[in-house]
Amino acid sequence: MSGGPPGRAFAAVAVPIPARRVFTYEVPGALLRSVLVGSRVLVPFQTRRIVGTVVESPAPPPDPSIEVRPIEKVLDGIPTVPESVLSLTRFVSDYYLCSWGEAIEAALPAAPRTPLPPRFVRRTGAGGEEALPPQARARRRALEALPADGSPVPLAGLPPARRNALRELVRAGLAAWVEREEDGPRRRGVAGPPPLAPTPAQAAALDRLLPAASRREYAPFLLFGATGSGKTEVYLRTAEGVLASGRGVLYLVPEIGLTPLLLARISRRFEGDLAVLHSGLSAGERYRAWERIRGGGARFVLGARSAVFAPLPDPGLIVVDEEQDGSYKQEEAPRYHARDLAVVRAREEGALLLLGSATPSLESFRNARAGRYEILRLGERVESRPLAAVRIVDMRREFLETRASRPLSRDLVAELGACLARGEQALVLRNRRGWAPALHCPTCGERVSCSRCSLSLTWHRSEARLRCHYCALERPLPPCCPSCGAEGLNLLGEGTERIEEEIRSALPGARIERMDRDTVRRRGAHEAILSRFDRHEIDVLVGTQMIAKGHDFPRVTLVGVVSADQTLGLPDFRAAERTFQLLTQVAGRAGRGSAPGTVVVQAFDPAHPVLAAAAAQDYEAFYRREAEYRRALRYPPFSALVEIVVEDADPGRAAARAEILAEAVRREGEGRILVSGPGPAPIERLKSRWRRQILVRSSGRRRLVAAVDRALASVEREVPRKAILVDVDPVSLL
Ligand code: ADP
Ligand code: ZN
């Protein structure tokens, strides 16, 4: 096949370093049969040895002048990468402008550093001896030794030749490693309650979905329905149909959406087929789950962002629940978006794509309107439970009338009292943690800020510490202003800690708890608070956006929102969208049981159209207005956007490099892309590094990404890659 020197074979290996290229290695004779595309291999690299992934084998021989070193070893105790996943990581590297090796690392997040040998092997049922070439005698014998019913056989004590043959069978999909004896195929027991009869709206959606599921071709849908309208039920029913047809299901949820409640609901129905990928897994557990999925032992994969790379052999359905959620975007390299990768993967695999949301992202809704996704509306809530009544309280008027600057309005306090008197529960959202978000000097007007970041420090009273929420800096309260030395610093604004305290004093005797990053730091604390709330051991739960998502608490009849409009002022084109989503989501938490709900939204600018649309739970009104603004300013989804940030400890060097890079992008864009900046990034200094931001926009996404890629390569000498942060389709510009 290859025209290289006879007897020498080569393979291309992707390694996890930032360079956007792969490296050629020689394949020693002894490894000829085990070096396959997707194999994980140990290779010498500069002065070290690293684990890379074979992406091409055989590869063309390299230039004879280049010294080629050999692959040292094939690692089989860690996952090999199936071709469908490999091609997805290739897409990630080309589209998000990272190296292929880095993309593979992201797909195998917690690959154990020390190889973990598999313990059992079994047939997959994918084919029999007839699938093997006649001369493959060792493989044939190895396959024949495996029970036809798929029960696992221990590997302990098998000779190396037999293990090699088995490895090739696994590679070919005819056998699978299994970690536990029970992981073989199981008759699926009927468990759980009888399924709910679908509502008319659910039935109409299923009438579109189930026939599409049986066609084995890419079919994208946007399931649009209020919280509680029965979307999850539609996902699960579609999943049943897909599993019955013999294909797998990939079910993605936002990071925080993987609640015990959802897990219980899914495992009741898909027990034996279910594998859950979550951040709490140890490297070994993740590896076991990975191999179980890969070998066909788990056909229903549930997980957050990185589960989009799960090695599920033949996904027939990919669900992305709460598709608008920001946690689908990885905020470190590779900066991929799992929802967008779900679209790519569904297209590649000929699968049904089901994006669901009560407040779709502008991107997805626009795609649906343009006919790229079929839109399925669920509309109302199940059993026509009414949506909560939303009231906006004008906090400026509140201040004028009470002459006191209290963070809680009289209206909200009265509603809280009444709610608890009825024996019901309440949620209070304040999307800032700590006691006070700023410490302000009335004499010089300065705020006390982090010495490493251009940001105010937050006062955390329970720890008696000022803290920076972006770096680890913390310090005690200064006795006087660090800028001018005057005394009498004021705490400005209020965070969740202060709100909790205010509610405590307004409602003596009530059981109040707080849920934010500070109180859930301990592992399991998040679930513990939610289950205490679920058991009604807590009356009022105060918290950040964490409380807004994914829970179904029938006794909650009141939701309060403090400073609802504050996030509207952030210097990010998605500020309005995020505020709308958060408000709609949290409002949807009120009145999920039979009692109707009330939502009290406190704001300083109560007439703001985003608040009005959220209060009316009118997504389309919000969309129309927001789309107009985005179109006018050429922001996504009406333009493709890449954010580039150049960072340096020295502000002058950051600025000079940013100029060079911006110039290169302008040149490569050939007048067809719009380059804004460089200017100071919204967070101008972060962890002692100065940051200059360049925003690059174009109507053509491919063209834009390609121009940025060329620009980065052309300035490689003057601007080292590690000083640059490139974010394609950024979700947050802060
Ligand atoms: P969503 O995912 O849109 O928030 P869910 O699927 O969780 O909605 O449904 C909301 C509530 O309604 C859940 O308690 C669920 O058990 C119930 N539900 C869903 N579908 C039906 C149905 N067809 N009949 C009765 N109750 C249903
Ligand atoms: Zn800081």
Side-chain angles (χ1 to χ4, degrees), residues 38 72 96 98 106 122 137 256 290 369 463 473 496 500 526 540 546 571 575 593 656 673 685:
E72 291 187 3
Y96 295 102
C98 62
R122 66 170 185 82
R137 294 193 21 227
I256 209 164
W290 175 279
R369 285 169 55 111
E463 303 152 64
L473 184 109
T496 46
E500 179 191 5
H526 181 238
V540 183
M546 261 181 216
I673 68 179
R685 190 158 169 261

Side-chain angles (χ1 to χ4, degrees), residues 168-380:
E168 284 162 31
L169 292 174
V170 169
R171 229 350 266 179
L174 297 172
W177 304 129
V178 267
E179 190 46 37
R180 295 172 312 178
E181 206 153 4
E182 342 43 291
D183 285 344
R186 259 181 289 168
R187 319 285 154 259
R188 199 142 34 90
V190 240
L196 307 160
T199 62
Q202 286 171 330
L206 291 165
D207 274 349
R208 301 293 307 155
L209 291 164
L210 293 173
S214 63
R215 281 198 293 270
R216 293 194 79 91
E217 30 181 73
Y218 172 61
F221 293 89
L222 175 63
L223 185 62
F224 177 31
T227 329
S229 61
K231 294 185 296 297
T232 308
E233 203 50 41
V234 171
Y235 306 146
L236 299 183
R237 288 215 164 221
T238 311
E240 279 164 356
V242 167
L243 289 175
S245 78
R247 305 185 78 192
V249 174
L250 193 52
Y251 190 122
L252 305 183
V253 291
E255 229 150 55
I256 209 164
L258 207 56
T259 59
L261 243 74
L262 178 72
L263 203 56
R265 198 165 160 190
I266 294 182
S267 59
R268 264 203 306 274
R269 278 152 83 161
F270 302 99
E271 226 333 6
D273 277 319
L274 182 64
V276 185
L277 296 172
H278 59 85
S279 55
L281 295 180
S282 70
E285 287 168 328
R286 182 170 288 271
Y287 161 68
R288 279 176 202 130
W290 175 279
E291 283 303 60
R292 204 176 134 230
I293 295 164
R294 177 157 186 191
R299 297 187 306 139
F300 189 119
V301 179
L302 173 64
R305 185 171 67 221
S306 66
V308 74
F309 297 108
L312 192 62
D314 179 26
L317 167 67
I318 305 182
V319 171
V320 185
D321 186 28
E322 307 278 3
E323 63 81 28
Q324 84 291 346
D325 197 281
S327 76
Y328 284 122
K329 174 81 171 176
Q330 176 148 300
E331 295 291 3
E332 56 194 58
R335 296 186 153 74
Y336 67 88
H337 199 303
R339 177 204 54 222
D340 297 342
L341 291 184
V343 179
V344 173
R345 186 159 182 195
R347 195 180 284 135
E348 293 278 298
E349 310 253 13
L352 200 66
L353 173 74
L354 188 46
L355 307 178
S357 181
T359 53
S361 61
L362 261 80
E363 282 78 1
S364 294
F365 201 68
R366 175 158 185 262
N367 278 333
R369 285 169 55 111
R372 284 189 283 272
Y373 304 155
E374 179 173 338
I375 191 159
L376 303 170
R377 288 170 199 265
L378 285 186
E380 287 174 29

Side-chain angles (χ1 to χ4, degrees), residues 293-521:
I293 295 164
R294 177 157 186 191
R299 297 187 306 139
F300 189 119
V301 179
L302 173 64
R305 185 171 67 221
S306 66
V308 74
F309 297 108
L312 192 62
D314 179 26
L317 167 67
I318 305 182
V319 171
V320 185
D321 186 28
E322 307 278 3
E323 63 81 28
Q324 84 291 346
D325 197 281
S327 76
Y328 284 122
K329 174 81 171 176
Q330 176 148 300
E331 295 291 3
E332 56 194 58
R335 296 186 153 74
Y336 67 88
H337 199 303
R339 177 204 54 222
D340 297 342
L341 291 184
V343 179
V344 173
R345 186 159 182 195
R347 195 180 284 135
E348 293 278 298
E349 310 253 13
L352 200 66
L353 173 74
L354 188 46
L355 307 178
S357 181
T359 53
S361 61
L362 261 80
E363 282 78 1
S364 294
F365 201 68
R366 175 158 185 262
N367 278 333
R369 285 169 55 111
R372 284 189 283 272
Y373 304 155
E374 179 173 338
I375 191 159
L376 303 170
R377 288 170 199 265
L378 285 186
E380 287 174 29
R381 291 181 158 190
V382 171
E383 288 160 6
S384 305
R385 290 169 200 155
L387 286 174
V390 181
R391 246 186 352 257
I392 301 181
V393 176
D394 180 346
M395 291 305 281
R396 285 171 312 189
R397 204 157 87 209
E398 182 82 10
F399 176 69
L400 291 177
E401 286 172 13
T402 61
R403 298 257 148 233
S405 98
R406 295 244 170 74
L408 299 181
S409 62
R410 293 161 297 175
D411 192 359
L412 181 53
V413 170
E415 286 286 356
L416 281 167
C419 172
L420 269 46
R422 293 191 303 266
E424 295 164 357
Q425 291 174 294
L427 291 171
V428 177
L429 171 80
R430 168 64 179 123
N431 210 13
R432 266 317 269 272
R433 64 198 167 95
W435 175 271
L439 187 61
H440 173 256
C441 173
T443 311
C444 71
E446 290 283 312
R447 290 177 174 207
V448 178
S449 57
C450 178
S451 56
R452 298 190 281 236
C453 310
S454 51
L455 291 157
S456 291
L457 293 173
T458 298
W459 174 239
H460 288 255
R461 200 172 75 166
S462 56
E463 303 152 64
R465 274 282 180 284
L466 282 168
R467 284 172 86 224
C468 173
H469 286 179
Y470 285 80
C471 72
L473 184 109
E474 52 175 83
R475 51 191 281 198
L477 203 63
C480 55
C481 174
S483 302
C484 74
E487 289 184 20
L489 292 171
N490 287 332
L491 290 170
L492 216 62
E494 67 287 323
T496 46
E497 210 184 347
R498 168 98 192 268
I499 300 298
E500 179 191 5
E501 191 72 23
E502 291 281 330
I503 298 177
R504 250 179 234 295
S505 61
L507 305 171
R511 297 164 301 176
I512 299 156
E513 282 203 41
R514 171 161 57 93
M515 188 164 79
D516 55 27
R517 281 237 293 281
D518 298 318
T519 66
V520 304
R521 208 160 278 154

Side-chain angles (χ1 to χ4, degrees), residues 452 645-658 683-693 718-720 722-725:
R452 298 190 281 236
V645 174
V646 179
E647 296 187 323
D648 201 277
D650 176 67
R653 190 157 58 200
R657 286 176 167 175
I683 297 175
E684 190 177 0
R685 190 158 169 261
L686 190 64
K687 297 177 187 166
S688 302
R689 294 170 70 79
W690 293 88
R691 308 165 80 238
R692 305 289 287 178
Q693 183 191 53
E718 302 122 283
V719 193
K722 62 178 194 299
I724 312 169
L725 177 161

